[in-house]
DNA sequence: TATAATAATGACTGGTTGGTCATTTGTCAA
DNA sequence: TTGACAAATGACCAACCAGTCATTATTATA
């Protein structure tokens, strides 16, 4: 395990227990069994550490729910159920992180952190919107933004139960319950509150797209990290294609499916799907 | 304005802008134009200050929505609308406080603060539950706890729009929209997730009832604070009755109505209504 | 006016923080 | 074994924190 990962795991635990501000760098280094200096070799600052944590987990989460929504085997109410399931399952699996994210997103006054939070929030909105379009199409044109907010509200309030009470819960039942509620609202609610203009206004802050160059940079970095494997080979081929656009779309699709096998590549798979507009 | 109030107003502003932990006592005293020593004459600690702020606003909020729900002129969908309206109106009017409450409730690791937050949360749950009983009675027996959570989710997610974007919004439209959604869920959802046992488990932590003695103490303190007025006179009579129980219930009801006229007495009015089980 | 009582001050204390950097330790190839 | 380089250390720093208390200013009373 790299030193960076070691620090991230230690910090995750401490932040979840005590909060970001209340955890000192000293505590993190003691918990990791390294020196203070070593910490600053891996991270330029304490802020950079929490940014890295948020990126790490949110990238995974976003690519996971995107994959569910894009998978054409999931249709109708089942898609809805799987969407909720993936969300809560992820919260459950990474509960330490989820606690930090909920707490620090609400609390922080660091500009960069806020905009990072908002960025991922918007990605999730986009995915949710695409799901609603798939499920209900024209029917929800007027009310789709309100639906997004209701779904967010459901996720927020029920995820609290998972995170702050240590009780074994019936995830399947919860997802069926929420899918039913969402269906009810989608099919029968008639009074929209959030209009297109309002929605645009709320997300006005710049949703900076990733550039072509940045994409290649991220891919190169990941290629370095990977051991020799099908995934690495696929990624190298994809990198060439992003630069030259010479491969058959079917091949590209297959290569992306290959790299998604590796959990550490899911985010890149998500970025590539967007790049190729699949 | 008393020094305590002055400090509370200054602190409110700073906490909303920068957060509780990030605001130093120094800053508060500078902003209030007083010395550090004077601060500690009014509050034993920084923690005591934020507790006082939370009590002040939450007591007002809880007594307000309780009043709406208990008012028998409000019935059916109109009650729902007024319930939401009161909530959002209160958030809007005291937006600085609402920001602090949302942020610090999620974030804090101070035991006392957590239990205070949970205490008010439970009071709001009780009021919501009583509203649902009034509106739908038997119909929602199975799903009432889920309904509470959905309503909380709605309030949470839409209040964000008020608090963190400075846009003039159509409160009436929002409340109609949410009342419709709530009605839909109440009348048609069939799959409950939160059972009685689960609900009990979530709120297990001790909801300590106010004792008889504490109630009289609070009343005596408020009597000291008030100028001579109908409200003060009413409160004195009520205090005697709480001790001796000699007045006609109709008279008691009237006296409580009197004291509710003064905004600073709404919390006591709420406590008395509970005491007399009205 | 004189005295007692109360209110207000701000320099100070002991502690913690994020971050730095001169120094030591470990790891190679030659 | 040597020397060159990188990795790791932890004492140290300046800044800030909540909270204290000897001192001073203000007010009320006699």
């Amino acid at each position: 395990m790299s030193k960076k990962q070691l620090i991230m795991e230690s910090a995750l635990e401490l932040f979840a227990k005590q909060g970001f501000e209340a955890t000192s760098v000293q505590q993190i280094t003691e918990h990791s069994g390294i020196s203070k200096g070593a910490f600053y070799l891996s991270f330029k600052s304490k802020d950079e550490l929490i940014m890295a944590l948020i990126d790490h987990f949110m990238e995974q989460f976003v690519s996971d729910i995107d994959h569910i929504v894009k998978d054409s085997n999931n249709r109708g109410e089942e898609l809805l159920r799987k969407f909720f399931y993936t969300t809560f399952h992820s919260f459950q699996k990474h509960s330490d992180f989820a606690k930090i994210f909920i707490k620090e997103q609400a609390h922080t006054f660091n500009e960069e952190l806020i905009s990072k939070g908002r960025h991922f929030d918007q990605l999730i909105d986009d995915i949710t919107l695409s799901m609603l379009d798939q499920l209900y199409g024209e029917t929800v044109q007027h009310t789709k933004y309100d639906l997004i907010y209701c779904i967010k509200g459901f996720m927020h309030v029920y995820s609290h139960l998972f995170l702050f009470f240590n009780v074994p819960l019936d995830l399947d039942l919860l997802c069926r319950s929420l899918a039913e509620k969402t269906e009810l609202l989608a099919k029968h609610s008639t009074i929209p509150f959030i209009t297109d203009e309002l929605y645009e206004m709320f997300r006005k802050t710049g949703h900076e797209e990733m550039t072509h160059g940045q994409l290649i940079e991220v891919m190169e970095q990941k290629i370095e990290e990977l051991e020799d494997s099908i995934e690495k080979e696929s990624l190298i081929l994809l990198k060439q294609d992003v630069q030259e656009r010479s491969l058959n779309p079917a091949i590209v699709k297959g290569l992306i499916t290959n790299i998604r096998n590796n959990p550490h590549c899911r985010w890149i798979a998500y970025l590539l799907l967007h790049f190729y507009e699949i």
Side-chain angles (χ1 to χ4, degrees), chain A:
Chain A
M1 178 159 43
S2 76
K3 190 134 290 182
K4 240 178 160 153
Q5 272 180 282
L6 173 70
I7 294 171
M8 280 168 77
E9 279 178 29
S10 276
L12 187 66
E13 207 177 304
L14 293 169
F15 288 166
K17 224 186 296 167
Q18 320 171 344
F20 175 69
E21 287 191 87
T23 304
S24 68
V25 174
Q26 195 102 284
Q27 279 178 285
I28 298 170
T29 59
E30 276 164 21
H31 194 268
S32 314
I34 61 168
S35 70
K36 213 165 178 192
F39 175 92
Y40 285 95
L41 290 176
S42 291
F43 296 96
K44 274 205 280 294
S45 68
K46 204 183 151 191
D47 278 347
E48 201 186 86
L49 165 60
I50 198 167
M51 299 285 215
L53 280 171
I54 290 180
D55 275 337
H56 178 79
F57 287 97
M58 286 308 285
E59 288 175 357
Q60 196 165 317
F61 176 64
V62 166
S63 38
D64 281 357
I65 58 167
D66 186 69
H67 188 247
I68 291 291
V69 171
K70 288 227 178 81
D71 183 350
S72 50
N73 291 323
N74 297 318
R75 281 285 162 271
E77 206 238 356
E78 198 195 349
L79 169 55
L80 212 41
R81 278 208 321 274
K82 283 200 182 168
F83 175 85
F84 283 120
Y85 192 89
T86 308
T87 303
F88 291 119
H89 185 73
S90 189
F91 283 11
Q92 205 170 41
K93 191 165 156 201
H94 307 293
S95 62
D96 272 354
F97 170 73
K99 278 176 203 163
I100 295 170
F101 189 67
I102 288 181
K103 286 175 182 173
E104 301 305 330
Q105 200 192 7
H107 178 262
T108 188
F109 294 90
N110 172 326
E111 262 312 316
E112 213 179 333
L113 249 182
I114 291 175
S115 90
K116 196 176 274 303
R118 192 173 296 182
H119 173 67
F120 284 115
D121 202 52
Q122 289 181 0
L123 293 183
I124 295 169
D125 277 8
D126 290 341
I127 294 168
T128 311
L129 201 53
S130 132
M131 178 179 74
L132 290 173
D133 269 338
Q134 262 184 60
L135 287 171
Y136 309 109
E138 266 304 311
T139 330
V140 295
Q141 273 314 299
H142 307 96
T143 54
K144 61 184 177 185
Y145 301 121
D146 283 280
L147 274 174
I148 293 180
Y149 273 79
C150 291
I151 290 173
K152 275 206 262 197
F154 292 155
M155 298 198 308
H156 178 270
V157 84
Y158 282 96
S159 66
H160 260 238
L161 302 184
F162 282 92
L163 296 175
F164 301 103
F165 298 91
N166 245 358
V167 189
L169 297 173
D170 184 344
L171 262 195
D172 274 311
L173 178 62
L174 173 59
C175 296
R176 273 189 293 128
S177 177
L178 290 182
E180 187 198 40
K181 293 187 209 319
T182 309
E183 290 254 298
L184 275 171
L185 295 179
K187 289 188 177 153
H188 300 108
S189 75
T190 62
I191 309 173
F193 172 68
I194 301 171
T195 58
D196 292 70
E197 299 99 300
L198 217 47
Y199 189 71
E200 278 312 311
M201 197 177 300
F202 294 147
R203 56 145 65 208
K204 61 175 173 286
T205 39
H207 186 338
E208 71 291 341
E209 282 284 323
M210 182 170 263
T211 68
H212 199 246
Q214 283 173 313
L215 176 59
I216 288 169
E217 215 173 286
V218 174
M219 293 174 81
E220 274 168 354
Q221 203 185 316
K222 187 61 73 179
I223 289 168
E224 293 267 319
E225 280 175 43
L226 289 175
E227 314 282 303
D228 282 344
S229 61
I230 294 285
E231 290 104 59
K232 182 167 181 167
E233 192 58 38
S234 304
L235 204 48
I236 291 169
L237 289 169
L238 282 165
K239 197 197 105 190
Q240 283 170 2
D241 190 66
V242 166
Q243 292 171 310
E244 302 162 10
R245 301 302 291 265
S246 55
L247 293 176
N248 182 306
I251 294 176
V252 170
K253 183 88 191 287
L255 292 171
I256 295 177
T257 312
N258 287 347
I259 64 167
R260 246 199 75 90
N261 272 337
N262 185 321
H264 297 105
C265 296
R266 287 196 212 148
W267 178 244
I268 289 189
Y270 168 82
L271 293 176
L272 286 168
L273 286 171
H274 266 244
F275 175 76
Y276 286 109
E277 292 170 5
I278 299 173

